[in-house]
Amino acid sequence: MEEIRSMESLAALVESLGFLPLLKNRVPGFSVEEHTPPELWFADGVDGPWEWKGPVIQNTGCAYGKFFGGKAGFISKEWYPDFANYRRVGYGFDARYDDGLARHVDNQVYDALLEHQPLLSKEWRRLTGIAKRGEFDAIVTRLQMQGYVVTTNFEYATDKTGKPYGWGLARCATPEAAFGEAFTEKVYQRTPEESRQKIEAYLRQLLPQATARQLRWIVG
């Protein structure tokens, strides 16, 4: 992995690797954080990967969300359909819920997004009526881990001079809405097991140093 010094270099890395966690994780050396110079990582007055997330999503068409053990990362548009297929176990969300494999509150949150997407996270939570942010965030993470929700952009408040500030609010949508036919025509192309095998075979080549347990953490 090359050093990440610009939005363009981060975007190129996402597209070339296919899978890229944002923060340090169980696979040493496999994160944006570990390949970004310290002066670009949460530095005052300097843009870095945190600020580049939205532009990378927009410019590459990749998926972003809490996909890896509940932690955030990028998956390229090439690989996300197989990833979602495996994580969904071949189920659309409605079928998953009808078969008793999803919680009622998850269905409530998913339906709110489906009706009004794309939604900023604060708008989405208000529509669901869930008062506790931690509870809402845990449901969204679960939906992202299962392949039903992605982050499509980050939006920032601005000061009186028009300069953005703060952490940025995630805008979310279903993959079907975010990617259209590029996703819907591919997501169930294979069986979930075939998707898992394809991803694992690729990751074994990409990360020869990773153990089987570490690869399972990525694939899920």
Side-chain angles (χ1 to χ4, degrees):
M1 288 174 61
E2 298 179 1
E3 195 171 57
I4 299 168
R5 286 193 166 272
S6 67
M7 185 275 289
E8 291 78 11
S9 63
L10 175 55
L13 203 56
V14 169
E15 293 203 296
S16 65
L17 296 181
F19 298 84
L20 185 57
L22 182 66
L23 303 175
K24 291 180 183 178
N25 55 77
R26 297 184 185 184
V27 186
F30 187 51
S31 72
V32 174
E33 180 182 6
E34 291 163 281
H35 292 272
T36 301
E39 63 268 22
L40 295 179
W41 194 253
F42 296 119
D44 289 339
V46 180
D47 283 354
W50 192 261
E51 292 77 21
W52 298 333
K53 298 193 309 290
V56 168
I57 296 166
Q58 294 289 301
N59 292 343
T60 66
C62 72
Y64 180 86
K66 293 182 177 179
F67 303 136
F68 308 115
K71 305 298 182 182
F74 301 89
I75 301 177
S76 71
K77 59 186 176 184
E78 174 189 358
W79 282 103
Y80 186 72
D82 274 299
F83 180 85
N85 181 37
Y86 174 61
R87 289 290 185 86
R88 291 180 176 193
V89 203
Y91 277 95
F93 186 83
D94 287 345
R96 189 183 196 115
Y97 181 67
D98 289 344
D99 277 5
L101 301 175
R103 307 176 193 190
H104 176 72
V105 68
D106 290 16
N107 184 59
Q108 173 190 345
V109 170
Y110 181 80
D111 279 350
L113 179 65
L114 204 60
E115 186 174 352
H116 301 281
Q117 63 184 324
L119 280 172
L120 284 175
S121 55
K122 66 177 182 180
E123 298 170 341
W124 188 9
R125 182 162 67 93
R126 186 170 61 246
L127 285 169
T128 66
I130 296 174
K132 295 181 180 178
R133 180 176 173 181
E135 180 185 354
F136 175 77
D137 288 348
I139 295 167
V140 173
T141 295
R142 191 156 55 240
L143 291 170
Q144 290 188 332
M145 286 285 290
Q146 293 172 345
Y148 297 111
V149 172
V150 294
T151 300
T152 61
N153 204 357
F154 287 88
E155 299 180 19
Y156 294 81
T158 56
D159 62 21
K160 60 184 178 181
T161 67
K163 184 179 179 180
Y165 68 89
W167 290 99
L169 291 172
R171 185 171 287 278
C172 297
T174 64
E176 285 82 355
F179 308 129
E181 290 183 358
F183 177 78
T184 58
E185 291 183 353
K186 294 179 180 178
V187 61
Y188 301 123
Q189 206 172 53
R190 282 178 267 274
T191 67
E193 178 60 18
E194 287 170 341
S195 288
R196 181 193 67 78
Q197 290 176 0
K198 182 184 178 187
I199 294 170
E200 283 194 355
Y202 170 72
L203 289 174
R204 278 196 295 271
Q205 291 183 327
L206 181 68
L207 303 166
Q209 79 280 16
T211 65
R213 178 179 239 176
Q214 289 169 335
L215 292 180
R216 282 198 300 273
W217 177 82
I218 300 171
V219 180

